[in-house]
Amino acid sequence: LAQRYHVYSQKISWADHLNLQSKVRLLMEKLHMGQAQILNLNQEKIQSSQRMTQMDHKMAQMDQKMTQMDFELTETKRELLVVRQKVTILESTLTHINQLRQPSILRAIMVRSIQMVDYLTY
């Protein structure tokens, strides 16, 4: 009976051993699959990080271009202001010249000039 029990317990132990071995094999496969997924996720994270760095670089370049364009726009506005001032001066001068071309003003200027010449000559 003892011998029979020993053989029976060995069979159960062997069956348990095989069962545990297959469970360990399955768990190891799951572990390897999980490790592979972790590696893939890490690679995706690295690639995503690289893309973000590239995007940050492009954004910095665009900010730099926009700053340059803002500077150029400010310079253009200054130049435009100077041109407007010159146009205003020219318009004022033309208006003055047109007023001087009116006969009554010309007559007044000539009369005044004659009076000055007469005064200086006598």
Side-chain angles (χ1 to χ4, degrees):
L1 186 66
Q3 190 178 15
R4 223 178 190 188
Y5 175 74
H6 182 69
V7 168
Y8 183 70
S9 68
Q10 281 183 344
K11 285 183 181 176
I12 291 174
S13 294
W14 184 250
D16 285 343
H17 175 72
L18 290 176
N19 190 19
L20 286 174
Q21 202 174 25
S22 81
K23 284 183 181 179
V24 167
R25 196 176 311 116
L26 286 174
L27 288 174
M28 290 300 286
E29 287 174 8
K30 284 185 180 180
L31 176 67
H32 289 295
M33 287 180 7
Q35 288 173 336
Q37 287 176 342
I38 289 172
L39 285 174
N40 286 339
L41 289 174
N42 280 337
Q43 287 175 344
E44 288 177 17
K45 181 181 172 186
I46 289 169
Q47 291 171 350
S48 176
S49 181
Q50 288 171 342
R51 284 192 298 269
M52 288 296 287
T53 302
Q54 290 172 349
M55 294 280 288
D56 287 345
H57 182 66
K58 286 181 182 177
M59 290 288 284
Q61 286 177 334
M62 289 179 72
D63 284 345
Q64 191 176 19
K65 285 180 183 176
M66 286 184 67
T67 302
Q68 179 65 28
M69 289 174 72
D70 283 345
F71 176 76
E72 290 172 1
L73 181 62
T74 302
E75 286 298 310
T76 301
K77 285 180 179 178
R78 283 187 193 138
E79 291 171 4
L80 183 60
L81 183 61
V82 169
V83 168
R84 282 184 181 161
Q85 290 170 344
K86 288 179 181 179
V87 165
T88 302
I89 291 169
L90 285 173
E91 286 175 342
S92 172
T93 304
L94 284 174
T95 301
H96 188 68
I97 289 172
N98 282 335
Q99 288 173 349
L100 290 177
R101 290 175 66 194
Q102 292 178 3
S104 60
I105 293 176
L106 281 176
R107 223 175 288 117
I109 291 172
M110 288 190 331
V111 167
R112 181 74 180 139
S113 299
I114 292 170
Q115 287 173 348
M116 287 179 72
V117 168
D118 285 347
Y119 175 76
L120 291 173
T121 56
Y122 289 114

